[in-house]
Each structure stands twice: as structure tokens, then as C-alpha cells.
Amino acid sequence: TKSADKKVKAGAWYNKGNAAAKLGRLDDAAEAFKEALSFDPDDKEAKENLDAVIKQKQKKDEQQKQENQDSKD
């Protein structure tokens, strides 16, 4: 059925997101979780993981920004 098909696709994207996150590929992870949510918008874990990856990316970006400032001083 189409519903089961969507769940399978959502699960595949969710797994891809987790793998990318573990490798530190935060942009890829975020995109994968967004894809998972496009197939299953009610997936609570995908939403939580997407939020976590976005926060991690923001923190990483801030650290890089700070390091760049420190190297200029």
C-alpha cells in the first residue's frame, strides 16, 4: 500500500540522517531528516533529530566564527 511505502521511505531517510549525523555531516543529516518528515510528518524522532542536528550545526558555526575572530586578533 502507499501508506506502507511512505513509512519505508521515511525510515530509509531517517536511517540516512542518523548515519550522516554520526559522521558529522550535519547538512546531509538535516536534509535526510527533512526528507523523512516529508514522507511521515508525524515522525516524532525525526523531528527531534532534525532539531538536534540544527542546534549542533548552529553551535559548530558559532565555534568556527569565534575561532576565526580569535585568529584575526
Side-chain angles (χ1 to χ4, degrees):
T1 66
K2 284 190 176 187
S3 178
D5 214 27
K6 284 187 172 188
K7 291 280 186 190
V8 169
K9 288 179 181 178
W13 281 107
Y14 175 81
N15 290 339
K16 184 176 181 177
N18 282 334
K22 285 181 183 174
L23 293 171
R25 295 172 33 200
L26 302 179
D27 289 331
D28 292 340
E31 288 304 312
F33 290 129
K34 288 177 187 175
E35 283 291 328
L37 289 167
S38 75
F39 289 104
D40 184 5
D42 297 325
D43 186 336
K44 187 178 176 184
E45 289 181 5
K47 287 178 189 175
E48 289 172 357
N49 288 3
L50 176 59
D51 289 343
V53 165
I54 289 171
K55 287 177 186 170
Q56 235 182 324
K57 182 167 172 16
Q58 288 170 339
K59 186 176 179 182
K60 186 177 177 182
D61 289 347
E62 282 298 315
Q63 287 174 338
Q64 286 177 340
K65 190 176 176 181
Q66 186 62 46
E67 287 171 9
N68 289 342
Q69 279 293 335
D70 291 346
S71 67
K72 289 181 182 178
D73 294 340

